[in-house]
Amino acid sequence: MAITEVERRRGQLAALSIAAVVIIVGVPLWWRTTETYRAWLPVSQIKDLAKLQLHLSADVEVVFARGTVTPEQQKKVPLTQTQDEEHTVDGDLLMQFMILRSQNMKPARSFDSQTFFPEDTTLRYRYETKYRTATIMEEDALKKPTAAEADLSLHMLSESPCGSLVVYVIPESSSLLPEDVNVYIGQRRTALVRISAQMRVGKTLEQLLAQLEPQIKQVLQVMSFSHTDITVALSDRVRFRPGNKESIADSMRAFKSSPGYEITFSLLNPDPKSHQLHWDIEGAVQTYIQPLLTKLSPLANFSMDSQTLYYTMLGVTPRFDSSFEAYTLNADSLAHVINPVEARLGSNAASSNPVLNFLLYVPDIRHSPLYIHDHRKQEVPSNAFHSPRWGGIMVYNVNGFYGSETEFPVHVNINMAKVMGVFLAQLRLLLGVQSLSPPPGFLVAPCGSTGLADWELDRLMWSRSVENIATATTTITSLAQLLDQIGNIVINDNIAQQVSSAVTSLQLAMAELEVGNLGFALQYSKEAILASEKAFFDPSLLHLLYFPDDQKFAIYIPLFLPMCVPILLSMLKIVSEARQRRREKQAKKE
Amino acid sequence: MAAPLTLLLIVAVTIRAALFRSSLAELIAERVEVVSPITAWKRVVEGLALLDLGVSPYSGDVFHETPLIIYMFHFLVDYAEITFMTFVFGALCVCICFFFIYLSLMPFQFRKQKFALEADRYPMDSLELIRSPKEMYYVPLKVAMFYLLNPFTILSCVAKSTCGLNNAVLALFFLSTIKGNVLLSAIFLCLATYQSIYPITLCAPAMLYFMQRQYIPVNFHRVSFWWFIVQYLFMYLGSLFVLICLSFFLLGSWDYLPSVYGFILSVPDLTPNIGLFWYFFAEMFEHFRLFFLCVFQINVFFYTIPLSIKLKEHPVFLIFMQLAVISIFKSYPTVGDVALYLAFLPVWSHLHRFLRNIFLVSCVLLACSALFPVLWHLWIYAGSANSNFYYAITLLFNVAQILLVSDYFYAFLRREHHLTNGLYLKRKDGSEATLILK
């Protein structure tokens, strides 16, 4: 009997030891290793960001040349003047925010945002105008025979920083501008405004300034940012209510702001038996494209490649038009041209940046020459067209090389200057360098060898900074909401770090915009967008996204239920035996 | 008995030599059931090549054996035939060790039985349970046969799996333990631990055995009990320290620690094998991986405490149980590990009358062994099956092993119970009682 008792005690001890190991080692282990790690996020700052308040300020310097103000007026010239404009843009439509740029994984970014983050977007523009009279050297510069020369020498005198403008007010008598032109916009950040005679005569300075103001404002709208530009840039965030068709087309043509772009030049040779084409793409890119891209380098990184595709036809068979003695492509059929070609273009799989395609199509001998016709059945002079947010196609006819007794294949050296002129114009359009028609009385200097005037770059930088800030705030606020609503998502330290850095960069970008440091603002906004995208698309967020509590049980039960049942049963037995023993003892006592 | 044993050895060596010479040897050496990422000879060769080039053999995540093994083979590799002989030797060594274990075990058991009989501790009707020297005479031969002619052992040996060496070290540990040599036992146990971590759980049965032999009571209030534990642990940890330092000085770096022990514990290689880890961790959600890794690894060590409590007086059986648990639940098991504890089965031949489902279990084990290559072929080559099929067989194989071991465990407990209470249990009122196992 004693031995069985010992055996029984041993069984109990064994069961107890199992339970002890489970409780002492197992439970803390389970707690430590499966907790949902949630790093701290700057939620309150993100909530502040949701209420986007953008202050844009631009410095304008108005310089009066000699002969525009009288000496008495000159004394009274105020040093500075600030103008504030405030717009509230309603932001009730964040909900349909989908990102189409990123090609990797795309969780839908549509949440009921208003319950958590009240959205509104306030825009405040501030123009800080400084008035002064021209220095002697500037006077000399303004005496140059042509406006372009004056522009250049004024630029040599002082280089105005990114985002600021200098407006020179010149007297009516100045011969710099042609008769019908009142305003000249230079290649850099300067403009010349001619003051009309009746404006000046016998008026006080205040009246003069008041009369000048609308003109300066117009100059600003052209050379710096306008409310339309900014609302277009904010179209991700607020519903954009375009005034007319043209601005819709403008807003949809350009690529969205992205930290990088891929540019691909393709030469399509559908008929290599007849044409042996040679294009000096490398030299052409160096000569024509590279200066523009170097100028645009603060905006984004560009990478370029080129290829030649043989036996690649357009998707549409051109029709022979006997009236022109040529094959024609209608504007209506152009939409069908791209798709079949695109399948063969290929793209750089290693990057998720948007790709700009530029195609040079040399029609085969049977469909040559080929001309593109617009809606009015007129030949398009450039013989090219572009597709919004995709790229451009140019048709290059080589029928001039066919003689009566030429031997095929014909060796053709493609005139790259002609091709690149078209591509450069298309590139400008696709990158969002708007060449809007200037108001009457304005003369815009032709952009020089770089293909981009300084003020055009500024305009682009203004709208890109605003767009980046808008996108990054939306991304960060959606991420914060997502994390707030779904408690199961693990927030690793690196994500928290990305979010914090995005928030910091956003705040810095907005602060820089407010001060008017456009270059820094753009730089910070780019950092913000990179960090926010990295955080939003981090794969570690998805690990536990689909684990509600009931599914966790499904993970644990198959393994632990069979293990736990015997342990629990033996525990129960031990407890019941102990209770029985106590009862027996009590019975004995009684 | 010398004649049959010699015959057996000749047969065993002939089979191995024939297989080794045949074209099957290469096929066998590739089988995932036979070699694991740790024990594969191919990987050892790779390690040797790296060592020859003056590169650390652990660079490149191919080689995961311990430094001592690689240096041993580095020494031997100049003699190609000797390499083969090493493996044969490994297998033979195991067999011989088992043989000795049993030889030395017998008088000890008899002494215990004689003592109990003289003290009239056993009831009369349980006398038929007592083992006679006559029926135990052939047990050593059976053990040798079970190990040497076991197809698992043969496969493992022909594949030149370093598992044979681990088994030899373990066998030397039993031998020295049974012989009562504390120092040698600690050294061999430490070698086995150094090779694959898991044998550390054998510390408990070894200490229990020595205490029983030296009549030290297992009592937490006694100084002699603690003194012995300190002594044994000192020898064990001391030799472990020496081994680790030796490896460090041989290799010149600590590379081997993460590459050998990190590899065993964190299970990064999910190549299918006969164990439970690969499928589970291939399917596991990343978030729970660490938790289940801990659970699976703790599981191997977990049974030591309850089993030691329950089998306090039967350390040899405890060794068998622990070996079985290790070979079932370890992270990269091979058939060589299974063969080691299967060799113990003839020692417990006296439990056969209490085994309940030995027939079913042996059928399942045989069927599974045959199905492993079939389903592997269907999955990998024919493409008509998938990993679930193979894992189902793995699972069944392991369940059968667990059933086998628990069957032996309950049979052992039941025999002990009958030895003390009589074979035919009577209730107080005289009716036949049934034994309920708790």
PDB file of all heavy atoms in Angstrom, chain A residues 414-441:
ATOM      1  N   ILE A 414      19.126  60.167 -88.904  1.00  0.00           N
ATOM      2  CA  ILE A 414      17.980  60.935 -88.429  1.00  0.00           C
ATOM      3  C   ILE A 414      18.445  62.290 -87.918  1.00  0.00           C
ATOM      4  O   ILE A 414      19.440  62.384 -87.192  1.00  0.00           O
ATOM      5  CB  ILE A 414      17.231  60.141 -87.347  1.00  0.00           C
ATOM      6  CG1 ILE A 414      16.535  58.955 -88.002  1.00  0.00           C
ATOM      7  CG2 ILE A 414      16.231  61.010 -86.625  1.00  0.00           C
ATOM      8  CD1 ILE A 414      15.945  57.972 -87.070  1.00  0.00           C
ATOM      9  N   ASN A 415      17.711  63.300 -88.312  1.00  0.00           N
ATOM     10  CA  ASN A 415      18.029  64.659 -87.894  1.00  0.00           C
ATOM     11  C   ASN A 415      17.570  64.849 -86.445  1.00  0.00           C
ATOM     12  O   ASN A 415      16.395  65.063 -86.169  1.00  0.00           O
ATOM     13  CB  ASN A 415      17.312  65.624 -88.830  1.00  0.00           C
ATOM     14  CG  ASN A 415      17.539  67.061 -88.420  1.00  0.00           C
ATOM     15  OD1 ASN A 415      18.322  67.346 -87.522  1.00  0.00           O
ATOM     16  ND2 ASN A 415      16.845  67.963 -89.077  1.00  0.00           N
ATOM     17  N   MET A 416      18.499  64.748 -85.538  1.00  0.00           N
ATOM     18  CA  MET A 416      18.119  64.721 -84.127  1.00  0.00           C
ATOM     19  C   MET A 416      17.645  66.079 -83.637  1.00  0.00           C
ATOM     20  O   MET A 416      16.868  66.155 -82.693  1.00  0.00           O
ATOM     21  CB  MET A 416      19.293  64.240 -83.273  1.00  0.00           C
ATOM     22  CG  MET A 416      19.645  62.797 -83.475  1.00  0.00           C
ATOM     23  SD  MET A 416      18.246  61.698 -83.469  1.00  0.00           S
ATOM     24  CE  MET A 416      17.959  61.508 -81.734  1.00  0.00           C
ATOM     25  N   ALA A 417      18.102  67.152 -84.251  1.00  0.00           N
ATOM     26  CA  ALA A 417      17.689  68.477 -83.798  1.00  0.00           C
ATOM     27  C   ALA A 417      16.181  68.629 -83.957  1.00  0.00           C
ATOM     28  O   ALA A 417      15.484  69.103 -83.060  1.00  0.00           O
ATOM     29  CB  ALA A 417      18.416  69.548 -84.586  1.00  0.00           C
ATOM     30  N   LYS A 418      15.669  68.149 -85.095  1.00  0.00           N
ATOM     31  CA  LYS A 418      14.244  68.246 -85.367  1.00  0.00           C
ATOM     32  C   LYS A 418      13.454  67.388 -84.376  1.00  0.00           C
ATOM     33  O   LYS A 418      12.465  67.830 -83.779  1.00  0.00           O
ATOM     34  CB  LYS A 418      14.013  67.762 -86.802  1.00  0.00           C
ATOM     35  CG  LYS A 418      12.615  67.910 -87.307  1.00  0.00           C
ATOM     36  CD  LYS A 418      12.593  67.458 -88.776  1.00  0.00           C
ATOM     37  CE  LYS A 418      11.214  66.977 -89.153  1.00  0.00           C
ATOM     38  NZ  LYS A 418      11.255  66.163 -90.371  1.00  0.00           N
ATOM     39  N   VAL A 419      13.958  66.155 -84.180  1.00  0.00           N
ATOM     40  CA  VAL A 419      13.254  65.213 -83.308  1.00  0.00           C
ATOM     41  C   VAL A 419      13.263  65.714 -81.869  1.00  0.00           C
ATOM     42  O   VAL A 419      12.233  65.744 -81.190  1.00  0.00           O
ATOM     43  CB  VAL A 419      13.922  63.832 -83.411  1.00  0.00           C
ATOM     44  CG1 VAL A 419      13.327  62.892 -82.397  1.00  0.00           C
ATOM     45  CG2 VAL A 419      13.785  63.285 -84.804  1.00  0.00           C
ATOM     46  N   MET A 420      14.436  66.143 -81.445  1.00  0.00           N
ATOM     47  CA  MET A 420      14.558  66.511 -80.041  1.00  0.00           C
ATOM     48  C   MET A 420      13.800  67.788 -79.728  1.00  0.00           C
ATOM     49  O   MET A 420      13.348  67.986 -78.625  1.00  0.00           O
ATOM     50  CB  MET A 420      16.035  66.667 -79.681  1.00  0.00           C
ATOM     51  CG  MET A 420      16.700  65.333 -79.479  1.00  0.00           C
ATOM     52  SD  MET A 420      15.944  64.460 -78.111  1.00  0.00           S
ATOM     53  CE  MET A 420      16.229  62.787 -78.582  1.00  0.00           C
ATOM     54  N   GLY A 421      13.662  68.660 -80.729  1.00  0.00           N
ATOM     55  CA  GLY A 421      12.854  69.857 -80.517  1.00  0.00           C
ATOM     56  C   GLY A 421      11.441  69.473 -80.122  1.00  0.00           C
ATOM     57  O   GLY A 421      10.869  70.018 -79.168  1.00  0.00           O
ATOM     58  N   VAL A 422      10.892  68.507 -80.840  1.00  0.00           N
ATOM     59  CA  VAL A 422       9.529  68.052 -80.548  1.00  0.00           C
ATOM     60  C   VAL A 422       9.486  67.363 -79.187  1.00  0.00           C
ATOM     61  O   VAL A 422       8.619  67.641 -78.350  1.00  0.00           O
ATOM     62  CB  VAL A 422       9.053  67.105 -81.663  1.00  0.00           C
ATOM     63  CG1 VAL A 422       7.714  66.521 -81.303  1.00  0.00           C
ATOM     64  CG2 VAL A 422       8.983  67.841 -82.970  1.00  0.00           C
ATOM     65  N   PHE A 423      10.432  66.473 -78.975  1.00  0.00           N
ATOM     66  CA  PHE A 423      10.427  65.718 -77.720  1.00  0.00           C
ATOM     67  C   PHE A 423      10.615  66.636 -76.518  1.00  0.00           C
ATOM     68  O   PHE A 423      10.019  66.429 -75.470  1.00  0.00           O
ATOM     69  CB  PHE A 423      11.513  64.639 -77.734  1.00  0.00           C
ATOM     70  CG  PHE A 423      11.140  63.428 -78.541  1.00  0.00           C
ATOM     71  CD1 PHE A 423      12.088  62.483 -78.887  1.00  0.00           C
ATOM     72  CD2 PHE A 423       9.826  63.219 -78.939  1.00  0.00           C
ATOM     73  CE1 PHE A 423      11.741  61.363 -79.622  1.00  0.00           C
ATOM     74  CE2 PHE A 423       9.479  62.105 -79.673  1.00  0.00           C
ATOM     75  CZ  PHE A 423      10.430  61.179 -80.025  1.00  0.00           C
ATOM     76  N   LEU A 424      11.451  67.641 -76.704  1.00  0.00           N
ATOM     77  CA  LEU A 424      11.695  68.560 -75.595  1.00  0.00           C
ATOM     78  C   LEU A 424      10.412  69.305 -75.232  1.00  0.00           C
ATOM     79  O   LEU A 424      10.066  69.448 -74.053  1.00  0.00           O
ATOM     80  CB  LEU A 424      12.790  69.555 -75.994  1.00  0.00           C
ATOM     81  CG  LEU A 424      13.464  70.318 -74.863  1.00  0.00           C
ATOM     82  CD1 LEU A 424      14.146  69.351 -73.937  1.00  0.00           C
ATOM     83  CD2 LEU A 424      14.483  71.290 -75.435  1.00  0.00           C
ATOM     84  N   ALA A 425       9.697  69.734 -76.264  1.00  0.00           N
ATOM     85  CA  ALA A 425       8.437  70.425 -76.003  1.00  0.00           C
ATOM     86  C   ALA A 425       7.465  69.502 -75.290  1.00  0.00           C
ATOM     87  O   ALA A 425       6.770  69.904 -74.335  1.00  0.00           O
ATOM     88  CB  ALA A 425       7.846  70.909 -77.313  1.00  0.00           C
ATOM     89  N   GLN A 426       7.411  68.245 -75.739  1.00  0.00           N
ATOM     90  CA  GLN A 426       6.507  67.293 -75.100  1.00  0.00           C
ATOM     91  C   GLN A 426       6.928  67.006 -73.663  1.00  0.00           C
ATOM     92  O   GLN A 426       6.094  66.905 -72.765  1.00  0.00           O
ATOM     93  CB  GLN A 426       6.495  65.995 -75.910  1.00  0.00           C
ATOM     94  CG  GLN A 426       5.728  66.133 -77.211  1.00  0.00           C
ATOM     95  CD  GLN A 426       5.817  64.881 -78.049  1.00  0.00           C
ATOM     96  OE1 GLN A 426       6.717  64.070 -77.880  1.00  0.00           O
ATOM     97  NE2 GLN A 426       4.883  64.738 -78.969  1.00  0.00           N
ATOM     98  N   LEU A 427       8.230  66.931 -73.481  1.00  0.00           N
ATOM     99  CA  LEU A 427       8.746  66.655 -72.138  1.00  0.00           C
ATOM    100  C   LEU A 427       8.350  67.781 -71.191  1.00  0.00           C
ATOM    101  O   LEU A 427       7.935  67.547 -70.053  1.00  0.00           O
ATOM    102  CB  LEU A 427      10.262  66.498 -72.205  1.00  0.00           C
ATOM    103  CG  LEU A 427      10.967  66.131 -70.902  1.00  0.00           C
ATOM    104  CD1 LEU A 427      10.497  64.771 -70.437  1.00  0.00           C
ATOM    105  CD2 LEU A 427      12.470  66.102 -71.096  1.00  0.00           C
ATOM    106  N   ARG A 428       8.455  69.016 -71.686  1.00  0.00           N
ATOM    107  CA  ARG A 428       8.056  70.157 -70.865  1.00  0.00           C
ATOM    108  C   ARG A 428       6.585  70.063 -70.462  1.00  0.00           C
ATOM    109  O   ARG A 428       6.220  70.273 -69.310  1.00  0.00           O
ATOM    110  CB  ARG A 428       8.278  71.462 -71.638  1.00  0.00           C
ATOM    111  CG  ARG A 428       9.680  72.016 -71.541  1.00  0.00           C
ATOM    112  CD  ARG A 428       9.867  73.106 -72.574  1.00  0.00           C
ATOM    113  NE  ARG A 428       8.878  74.176 -72.438  1.00  0.00           N
ATOM    114  CZ  ARG A 428       9.083  75.284 -71.726  1.00  0.00           C
ATOM    115  NH1 ARG A 428      10.221  75.459 -71.120  1.00  0.00           N
ATOM    116  NH2 ARG A 428       8.160  76.200 -71.625  1.00  0.00           N
ATOM    117  N   LEU A 429       5.769  69.692 -71.432  1.00  0.00           N
ATOM    118  CA  LEU A 429       4.343  69.573 -71.146  1.00  0.00           C
ATOM    119  C   LEU A 429       4.085  68.472 -70.127  1.00  0.00           C
ATOM    120  O   LEU A 429       3.324  68.643 -69.177  1.00  0.00           O
ATOM    121  CB  LEU A 429       3.578  69.245 -72.424  1.00  0.00           C
ATOM    122  CG  LEU A 429       3.350  70.394 -73.386  1.00  0.00           C
ATOM    123  CD1 LEU A 429       2.724  69.882 -74.647  1.00  0.00           C
ATOM    124  CD2 LEU A 429       2.440  71.425 -72.731  1.00  0.00           C
ATOM    125  N   LEU A 430       4.741  67.330 -70.358  1.00  0.00           N
ATOM    126  CA  LEU A 430       4.460  66.173 -69.516  1.00  0.00           C
ATOM    127  C   LEU A 430       4.983  66.373 -68.101  1.00  0.00           C
ATOM    128  O   LEU A 430       4.466  65.789 -67.156  1.00  0.00           O
ATOM    129  CB  LEU A 430       5.090  64.922 -70.126  1.00  0.00           C
ATOM    130  CG  LEU A 430       4.421  64.470 -71.418  1.00  0.00           C
ATOM    131  CD1 LEU A 430       5.252  63.416 -72.095  1.00  0.00           C
ATOM    132  CD2 LEU A 430       3.034  63.930 -71.132  1.00  0.00           C
ATOM    133  N   LEU A 431       6.015  67.180 -67.977  1.00  0.00           N
ATOM    134  CA  LEU A 431       6.538  67.418 -66.639  1.00  0.00           C
ATOM    135  C   LEU A 431       5.783  68.539 -65.946  1.00  0.00           C
ATOM    136  O   LEU A 431       6.050  68.841 -64.790  1.00  0.00           O
ATOM    137  CB  LEU A 431       8.028  67.762 -66.709  1.00  0.00           C
ATOM    138  CG  LEU A 431       8.920  66.589 -67.036  1.00  0.00           C
ATOM    139  CD1 LEU A 431      10.349  67.044 -67.160  1.00  0.00           C
ATOM    140  CD2 LEU A 431       8.810  65.509 -65.978  1.00  0.00           C
ATOM    141  N   GLY A 432       4.856  69.146 -66.651  1.00  0.00           N
ATOM    142  CA  GLY A 432       4.023  70.149 -65.996  1.00  0.00           C
ATOM    143  C   GLY A 432       4.562  71.553 -66.085  1.00  0.00           C
ATOM    144  O   GLY A 432       4.159  72.413 -65.320  1.00  0.00           O
ATOM    145  N   VAL A 433       5.510  71.784 -66.984  1.00  0.00           N
ATOM    146  CA  VAL A 433       5.967  73.153 -67.187  1.00  0.00           C
ATOM    147  C   VAL A 433       4.919  73.809 -68.073  1.00  0.00           C
ATOM    148  O   VAL A 433       4.915  73.621 -69.279  1.00  0.00           O
ATOM    149  CB  VAL A 433       7.340  73.185 -67.877  1.00  0.00           C
ATOM    150  CG1 VAL A 433       7.843  74.604 -67.944  1.00  0.00           C
ATOM    151  CG2 VAL A 433       8.305  72.297 -67.165  1.00  0.00           C
ATOM    152  N   GLN A 434       3.991  74.534 -67.440  1.00  0.00           N
ATOM    153  CA  GLN A 434       2.896  75.065 -68.252  1.00  0.00           C
ATOM    154  C   GLN A 434       3.396  76.227 -69.084  1.00  0.00           C
ATOM    155  O   GLN A 434       4.070  77.117 -68.601  1.00  0.00           O
ATOM    156  CB  GLN A 434       1.760  75.547 -67.353  1.00  0.00           C
ATOM    157  CG  GLN A 434       0.871  74.439 -66.893  1.00  0.00           C
ATOM    158  CD  GLN A 434       0.902  74.296 -65.412  1.00  0.00           C
ATOM    159  OE1 GLN A 434       1.945  74.487 -64.802  1.00  0.00           O
ATOM    160  NE2 GLN A 434      -0.226  73.987 -64.830  1.00  0.00           N
ATOM    161  N   SER A 435       3.055  76.190 -70.329  1.00  0.00           N
ATOM    162  CA  SER A 435       3.357  77.358 -71.152  1.00  0.00           C
ATOM    163  C   SER A 435       2.013  78.001 -71.455  1.00  0.00           C
ATOM    164  O   SER A 435       1.478  77.873 -72.533  1.00  0.00           O
ATOM    165  CB  SER A 435       4.062  76.948 -72.429  1.00  0.00           C
ATOM    166  OG  SER A 435       3.279  75.968 -73.064  1.00  0.00           O
ATOM    167  N   LEU A 436       1.486  78.605 -70.418  1.00  0.00           N
ATOM    168  CA  LEU A 436       0.162  79.187 -70.618  1.00  0.00           C
ATOM    169  C   LEU A 436       0.316  80.470 -71.431  1.00  0.00           C
ATOM    170  O   LEU A 436       1.339  81.154 -71.379  1.00  0.00           O
ATOM    171  CB  LEU A 436      -0.528  79.454 -69.284  1.00  0.00           C
ATOM    172  CG  LEU A 436       0.037  80.488 -68.342  1.00  0.00           C
ATOM    173  CD1 LEU A 436      -0.963  80.766 -67.252  1.00  0.00           C
ATOM    174  CD2 LEU A 436       1.337  80.012 -67.752  1.00  0.00           C
ATOM    175  N   SER A 437      -0.709  80.756 -72.135  1.00  0.00           N
ATOM    176  CA  SER A 437      -0.638  81.926 -73.005  1.00  0.00           C
ATOM    177  C   SER A 437      -0.618  83.174 -72.132  1.00  0.00           C
ATOM    178  O   SER A 437      -1.435  83.317 -71.226  1.00  0.00           O
ATOM    179  CB  SER A 437      -1.846  81.945 -73.931  1.00  0.00           C
ATOM    180  OG  SER A 437      -3.016  81.708 -73.171  1.00  0.00           O
ATOM    181  N   PRO A 438       0.333  84.053 -72.338  1.00  0.00           N
ATOM    182  CA  PRO A 438       0.436  85.231 -71.480  1.00  0.00           C
ATOM    183  C   PRO A 438      -0.718  86.199 -71.736  1.00  0.00           C
ATOM    184  O   PRO A 438      -1.288  86.210 -72.834  1.00  0.00           O
ATOM    185  CB  PRO A 438       1.769  85.840 -71.892  1.00  0.00           C
ATOM    186  CG  PRO A 438       2.020  85.322 -73.248  1.00  0.00           C
ATOM    187  CD  PRO A 438       1.362  84.005 -73.357  1.00  0.00           C
ATOM    188  N   PRO A 439      -1.077  86.969 -70.722  1.00  0.00           N
ATOM    189  CA  PRO A 439      -2.129  87.961 -70.905  1.00  0.00           C
ATOM    190  C   PRO A 439      -1.728  88.970 -71.989  1.00  0.00           C
ATOM    191  O   PRO A 439      -0.537  89.094 -72.311  1.00  0.00           O
ATOM    192  CB  PRO A 439      -2.224  88.635 -69.540  1.00  0.00           C
ATOM    193  CG  PRO A 439      -1.492  87.775 -68.611  1.00  0.00           C
ATOM    194  CD  PRO A 439      -0.528  86.985 -69.394  1.00  0.00           C
ATOM    195  N   PRO A 440      -2.654  89.690 -72.542  1.00  0.00           N
ATOM    196  CA  PRO A 440      -2.318  90.642 -73.601  1.00  0.00           C
ATOM    197  C   PRO A 440      -1.358  91.700 -73.094  1.00  0.00           C
ATOM    198  O   PRO A 440      -1.433  92.132 -71.938  1.00  0.00           O
ATOM    199  CB  PRO A 440      -3.677  91.243 -73.982  1.00  0.00           C
ATOM    200  CG  PRO A 440      -4.587  90.906 -72.862  1.00  0.00           C
ATOM    201  CD  PRO A 440      -4.092  89.634 -72.296  1.00  0.00           C
ATOM    202  N   GLY A 441      -0.476  92.067 -73.940  1.00  0.00           N
ATOM    203  CA  GLY A 441       0.496  93.080 -73.545  1.00  0.00           C
ATOM    204  C   GLY A 441       1.736  92.492 -72.900  1.00  0.00           C
ATOM    205  O   GLY A 441       2.643  93.202 -72.517  1.00  0.00           O
TER     206      GLY A 441
END
